[in-house]
Amino acid sequence: MSAEDSSVVPGGARERRTPFGALDDLDRALLRELERDGRISNKDLAARVGVAPSTCHARVAALRARGVLRGFHADVDPDAVGRGLQAIIAVRLQAAARARLGAFARTLAARPEVRDVYLLGGTEDVMLHVAVHDSRALRAFVVEHLSTRPEVAHTQTSLVFEHLHAPTTAV
C-alpha cells in the first residue's frame, strides 16, 4: 500500500483507500465480525466493535450502499441436502470461444449442481465448484454440460474430500 492509500482520520483510526472508497478501522472490524457471523444482531455487533447501535447500523448500511458488503447468505452443507459428492472442475475453452466466456460462465452458474464459478487467467479459463448426489451424477454433469459443448476444449475433475471455509477476508 502506498502512502497515498493510507491515512489517519480524526479519532486516530487508520483509513485505507479501496476501489469502494475509504475503509477505516471500524469498517474493517465490522466486516470481520460480519464474516464470522452474518446473522449477528445489530446490538451484539455494536457491542463487539465498541460503538453505539445507531452508529453500527449506519456504518453497515453505508458498507452495503457502497457495495463493500454484497449481501448475506446461508451456508448450506451439501451433504445434508443429498449432494455429498463435491468436485472442482477446471475448464479450458477453445481459443475461438473465449470471447463468449461470460455467457458460458453465466449458463453454468444457473445449473443447480454448481455452487461457485471462477473466471481465471492462466491455463484454464473457468473453475467450477459442483455438488452432486453421486459419481453417476458427476459424470452426467461433466458429459452433458461440459464435454459435449463445442466451445469446451478440455476439462479436469478433482474430487473434494473436505472443504474448510476461511473465516475472514484480510480486512
Side-chain angles (χ1 to χ4, degrees):
M1 180 180 343
S2 72
E4 297 172 10
D5 296 333
S6 180
S7 61
V8 176
V9 296
R14 296 231 34 100
E15 180 181 74
R16 186 178 304 153
R17 299 266 175 219
T18 72
F20 299 101
L23 293 178
D24 64 17
D25 289 344
L26 177 55
D27 291 329
R28 288 191 297 280
L30 289 166
L31 293 171
R32 279 191 300 274
E33 292 300 327
L34 287 168
E35 280 188 317
R36 285 186 191 113
D37 181 2
R39 292 183 50 132
I40 189 172
S41 71
N42 184 67
K43 178 183 165 196
D44 290 343
L45 178 59
R48 283 193 192 171
V49 299
V51 297
S54 59
T55 300
C56 181
H57 185 270
R59 292 296 284 265
V60 170
L63 289 167
R64 289 190 73 182
R66 291 168 42 204
V68 176
L69 273 174
R70 296 185 297 189
F72 299 89
H73 70 278
D75 185 8
V76 177
D77 179 356
D79 197 37
V81 295
R83 293 180 177 265
L85 181 61
Q86 296 182 67
I88 303 295
I89 305 171
V91 181
R92 186 177 320 130
L93 298 180
Q94 300 285 351
R98 290 198 176 108
R100 297 186 308 275
L101 180 61
F104 176 79
R106 283 188 298 279
T107 298
L108 290 172
R111 298 282 323 151
E113 303 92 339
V114 176
R115 296 183 51 92
D116 293 295
V117 177
Y118 302 94
L119 304 183
L120 307 174
T123 306
E124 310 302 338
D125 297 301
V126 179
M127 194 74 68
L128 304 172
H129 175 198
V130 301
V132 295
H133 299 289
D134 55 25
S135 61
R136 186 172 293 147
L138 179 59
R139 181 180 187 287
F141 175 80
V142 171
V143 170
E144 295 170 17
H145 301 288
L146 298 175
S147 299
T148 57
R149 294 183 64 144
E151 64 264 53
V152 173
H154 175 77
T155 66
Q156 181 172 339
T157 303
S158 299
L159 296 181
V160 174
F161 293 131
E162 187 175 355
H163 175 214
L164 303 174
H165 181 70
T168 62
T169 304
V171 290

